[in-house]
Amino acid sequence: MRCCLPTPLAALSALPSPCDVLRSGALLVPALLRTAAARRAGRRHPDSLIAVHLELVTLAEDRAVITWYTGIPGTDDGFGHPLPAVTEGEVVYGTHPARLNRTAAEDGPTAHHYVELTDLEPGQTYYYRAGSRGVAATPTPLHLVRGNAVGTSLHGLGSAGGPYSFTTPQPPPGRHLLSIALCNDLHLGETAAGLVAGIPLIRGVSQAPGLAPYPETMSRALVEEARRRGADLLLAAGDVSADGAPRDLAEARRIMDGFGTHGQDYFVVRGNHDRPGQPGAAFHDAFLDTFHDGDGPAYFARDLGGLGIIGLDTYEKEGAGGDAGGLGAEQLSWFRARLKERGDQPTVVFGHHPLAVRDSVFPMGRGQRLDRRQARAILDAYAAAPGVFLHHAGHTHRNKRTVLPQAPHVTQQEVSAVKDYPGGFCLLRIHSGGFALNHYKPGGAPAREWAERSRRVAGGLWPHHALGRSVTDRNSVTVRDLSGVTGPLIRQREAT
């Protein structure tokens, strides 16, 4: 199955410019050399295991989630990746690099380590080491492309095993009102991650034989983790299927029905992979059939007791899916009218294609964003709509926070794909005085195993793109007056 990256066969105009390609190469060649050196070092490792791919995934005011992988040196699963070494793992941490006097351990042995620190204080700097069986975990080397996988400062980078450091943020001001899980790119029906049509040299990654299809594994883990993290709503920003097949869309709905009722507890918009197909001679829009009872349009607005939710259909057009996203003229006019009506009402907008794609380590063409003119029209509408505070998008399969100068009061949050590395979703926590965005990987064992296996997309360089080039791309806090959100969901939360 084809991934969302632009393809030569789909639309030549969507390809990145030569300057983008050269810039991407300059960033990624050092990372590729470092990866090769790490593999050689793994073969020479004197211990019985290696601990690698250390990542600070989630960082909130009172908690942090740290993950890593342990493998058997000198082994290879066919993708240049060591076979798993099942063992215990722990994180030692403290408020001084020489006094790591607290310990957090896992429930049992695993190769896919996931430790959550839950006793943290806001605004405090912590130092930590993670490891297994006396072997210190080393980070995914994102610092080679200006990111940092393990902390919020440069302390410890370049040393073997840390300690690494992070500073917890202050919580959003005011009382917690509700939480929303933001997700996208489930790709039900896909069988190989990372394939790009028209580029035969790029090798995709498939699920291990005998295991459930990875889109189903990851989508079910999404629902389970979102509920466990207290999400009141779930917004799925498109590409819930791989190619718009009725059976895959139906399966996506069955899985998300595990979260609640469509149109009440969760909402879904169309992505380019969910575009209509033409079985035989009859035009068929299975997405509308599945999520809108066959009636259009596929865009909508809801008022959830003071919180506005606007869902956009960013592929309301004909095409093969690899070109830029587009809204029809009628939808764009409708959108402007809805924003004008809402004025100061706190509002979240979500759609599949981002308004802009910035700071990507891989070259990005026009196919990775919304049509430029329409993106400008939306930003102009935001400039006159002070209530909009978040625009959630998918499609790029990465975590990236962007604030555009045309609408500085709106955070654009791209969220990595559910279907593969790093997996998971972004939890939007709305408080009366602001909001927080935190990325969570699913905690279940099958999902963790597939997320580790699928990090080998793009020759193992995928983490440089997908995880987020800094911790703030996947964890951030914004101060904002959102006290107008006081509707039924809030009263229900208070009653329970």
Side-chain angles (χ1 to χ4, degrees), residues 270-285:
R270 186 200 306 274
N272 56 301
H273 280 260
D274 306 315
R275 62 191 181 276
Q278 290 184 325
F283 178 83
H284 184 68
D285 192 334

Side-chain angles (χ1 to χ4, degrees), residues 320-361:
D323 51 341
L327 285 64
E330 182 177 343
Q331 181 181 179
L332 190 56
S333 177
W334 168 90
F335 178 70
R336 288 167 169 156
R338 295 293 80 74
L339 289 189
K340 187 175 181 180
E341 288 174 1
R342 292 172 184 273
D344 294 335
Q345 181 184 20
T347 300
V348 173
V349 180
F350 72 116
H352 187 62
H353 292 77
L355 302 179
V357 178
R358 294 188 171 181
D359 299 325
S360 173
V361 298

Side-chain angles (χ1 to χ4, degrees), residues 274-472:
D274 306 315
R275 62 191 181 276
Q278 290 184 325
F283 178 83
H284 184 68
D285 192 334
F287 180 84
L288 281 183
D289 289 346
T290 304
F291 292 103
H292 296 275
D293 297 324
D295 296 326
Y299 50 89
F300 54 86
R302 298 288 187 274
D303 186 338
L304 302 179
L307 176 67
I309 302 290
I310 297 180
L312 298 178
D313 180 354
T314 64
Y315 208 77
E316 191 187 31
K317 55 183 288 186
E318 294 182 0
D323 51 341
L327 285 64
E330 182 177 343
Q331 181 181 179
L332 190 56
S333 177
W334 168 90
F335 178 70
R336 288 167 169 156
R338 295 293 80 74
L339 289 189
K340 187 175 181 180
E341 288 174 1
R342 292 172 184 273
D344 294 335
Q345 181 184 20
T347 300
V348 173
V349 180
F350 72 116
H352 187 62
H353 292 77
L355 302 179
V357 178
R358 294 188 171 181
D359 299 325
S360 173
V361 298
F362 288 124
M364 290 288 178
R366 292 193 309 169
Q368 290 300 292
R369 58 179 179 262
L370 195 65
D371 172 83
R372 284 187 183 276
R373 290 185 179 181
Q374 294 189 347
R376 283 196 295 268
I378 289 175
L379 288 170
D380 288 343
Y382 285 164
V388 179
F389 64 92
L390 181 70
H391 185 113
H392 161 219
H395 192 57
T396 55
H397 297 196
R398 67 173 183 167
N399 293 310
K400 180 68 173 74
R401 179 183 184 272
T402 303
V403 176
L404 299 169
Q406 300 94 320
H409 60 289
V410 180
T411 296
Q412 177 184 266
Q413 182 66 51
E414 299 166 53
V415 179
S416 60
V418 170
K419 73 183 183 78
D420 53 25
Y421 174 90
F425 64 99
C426 190
L427 187 68
L428 166 63
R429 294 182 290 126
I430 299 177
H431 288 233
S432 56
F435 63 94
L437 292 161
N438 294 112
H439 176 69
Y440 284 96
K441 290 181 180 179
R448 284 189 280 165
E449 291 172 10
W450 167 252
E452 179 64 28
R453 183 178 176 88
S454 60
R455 73 162 54 236
R456 286 155 280 182
V457 166
L461 295 174
W462 194 241
H464 297 267
H465 170 80
L467 180 63
R469 297 184 67 188
S470 68
V471 174
T472 54

